[in-house]
């Protein structure tokens, strides 16, 4: 990689290697001894939370506690924008900036929970933990505040204070306002926050309709809420969103979800976590196209089922030949840890696995066809609580089918298994990024101890055992965004 790009790939304490496929593909190989320029920020403010890179300029936008930074490619601070702290209480709903709150107010940090670049309108969307998750729209050039909608319930995106609790995907249009798909954990507050929704992203940052649901009437809306009955079965139920992206006519989110299962030979149920891919049509305003399918990985009899990270890339010519797909086909690179029973304290054994997105879509298509033949149930226990049989209808399901107001939302019961590329038994992999270089599909993986590993995936395995490992302080697991 060129020196300008590699200077900012290491934010030593918290973040590492954030770049786009297009910008990475232009770079040269790294020398393992090359020193890194670092940026530590204001240590008093605490940790960094999110990082995005402007594909056009190389400028870096860093979401931290109480602050947004704009950095040059060599980690020089260009401008900052303060977002907190402020007087707040997480029990205040609506937030106290809308109406008086009877809860005691204390100085509260603003943790950055989502950071997105809206290229079409040249602005940064920065959402925090204050005031039930309101967002600021900042001009990319100087971080000037263009808008901060807060007076409607649609403006409160998430009440969860964890930095990784919200994921957003922008769907752009040439002749109309864009859409913002928002996915978030709800922290036991399903009456306040939908777990997934599509919002209006208006051209005017101060428009009254900013973040309004794309469609909303008395019966139907562009959202899905977790039913309160679900919490009677799994009291701490939530959906944890790990990654999101758009491809073709669909938007996808990768999730971790708790569920109750009966172990073999047991009459009692226990709680485990299942990794699932969620798919929605971009143009589906009623969310009738919602489908989720379990995903996982297995190698030598060991199950890797707890999703840690994911990244969408292309196959490239060499990997495509091994997989029997096109070089331009979408490949989902994923990191799983071993087992299903520990979400917060994952085991150190982990695996890097790949999925061909088209094959996941084929599995979803098969499931849709069988359900519309009246076979099976909707298989979505958390949403429907009880089994609801599929209804028969005479129609053909094509690759872009977006659902009807029947047989929806739908779950796929059989798991789609990824192809294991590399396993790590001692230093758990926590993050991944990938790109195509000279027809090879390269994956960079960050580990729990702060190391970076490179794998060449052209032959379904790490063909470069001497790939360099970059060391970072123990405990500072890299985040590859």
């Amino acid at each position: 990689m060129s020196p300008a790009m590699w200077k900012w790939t290491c934010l030593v304490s918290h973040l590492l290697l954030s770049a786009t496929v297009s910008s990475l593909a232009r770079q040269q190989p790294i020398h393992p001894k090359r020193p890194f320029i670092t940026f530590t920020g204001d240590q008093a403010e605490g940790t960094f939370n999110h990082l995005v890179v402007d594909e056009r300029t190389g400028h870096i936008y860093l979401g931290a506690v109480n602050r947004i930074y704009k950095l040059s490619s060599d980690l020089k601070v260009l401008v900052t924008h303060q977002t907190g702290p402020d007087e707040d209480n997480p029990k205040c709903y609506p937030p106290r900036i809308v109406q008086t709150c009877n809860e005691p107010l204390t100085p509260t940090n603003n943790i950055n929970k989502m950071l997105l670049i809206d290229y079409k309108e040249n602005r940064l969307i920065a959402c925090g933990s204050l005031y039930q998750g309101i967002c600021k729209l900042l001009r990319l050039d100087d971080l000037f505040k263009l808008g901060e909608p807060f007076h409607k319930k649609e403006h409160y995106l998430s009440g969860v204070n964890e930095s990784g609790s919200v994921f957003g995907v922008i769907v752009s249009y040439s002749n109309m306002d864009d859409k913002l798909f928002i996915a978030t954990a709800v922290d036991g507050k399903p009456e306040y926050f939908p777990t997934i929704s599509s919002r209006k992203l208006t051209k005017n940052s101060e428009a009254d309709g900013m973040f309004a649901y794309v469609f909303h009437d008395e019966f139907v809306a562009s959202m899905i809420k977790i039913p309160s009955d679900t919490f009677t079965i799994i009291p701490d139920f939530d959906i944890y969103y790990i990654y999101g992206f758009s491809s073709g006519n669909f938007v996808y989110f990768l999730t971790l979800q708790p569920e109750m299962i009966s172990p073999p030979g047991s009459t009692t149920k226990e709680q485990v976590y299942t990794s699932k891919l969620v798919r929605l049509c971009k143009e589906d305003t009623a969310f009738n196209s919602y489908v989720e399918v379990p995903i996982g990985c297995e190698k030598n009899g060991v199950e890797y089922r707890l999703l840690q990270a994911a990244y969408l890339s292309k196959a490239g010519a060499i990997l495509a030949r091994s997989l029997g797909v096109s070089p331009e086909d979408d490949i989902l690179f994923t990191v799983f840890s071993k087992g299903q029973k520990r979400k917060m304290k994952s085991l150190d054994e982990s695996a890097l696995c790949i999925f061909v997105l088209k094959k996941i879509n084929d599995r979803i298509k098969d499931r849709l066809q069988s359900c519309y033949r009246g076979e099976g149930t909707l298989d979505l226990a958390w949403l429907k609580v009880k089994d609801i049989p599929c209804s028969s209808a005479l129609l053909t399901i094509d690759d872009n089918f977006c659902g009807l107001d029947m047989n929806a939302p739908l779950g796929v019961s059989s798991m789609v298994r990824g192809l294991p590329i590399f396993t790590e038994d001692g230093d758990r992999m926590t993050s991944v990024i990938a790109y195509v270089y000279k027809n090879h599909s390269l994956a960079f993986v960050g580990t729990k101890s702060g190391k970076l590993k490179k794998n060449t995936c052209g032959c379904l395995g790490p063909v470069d055992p001497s790939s360099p490992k970059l060391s970072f302080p123990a405990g500072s697991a890299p985040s590859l965004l």
Side-chain angles (χ1 to χ4, degrees), residues 15 46 52 72 132 161 178 242 271 303 361 382 396 398 410 424 433 436 450 477:
L15 299 170
V52 292
S72 63
Q132 304 297 336
N161 286 335
D178 292 349
I242 310 299
Q271 181 172 309
E303 292 279 353
N361 286 329
W382 70 266
T396 301
D398 63 20
L410 181 66
E424 170 62 61
I433 193 171
V436 176

Side-chain angles (χ1 to χ4, degrees), residues 13-14 447-450 472-478:
S13 297
H14 308 281
T447 71
K448 178 182 176 182
S449 68
F472 299 88
S476 60

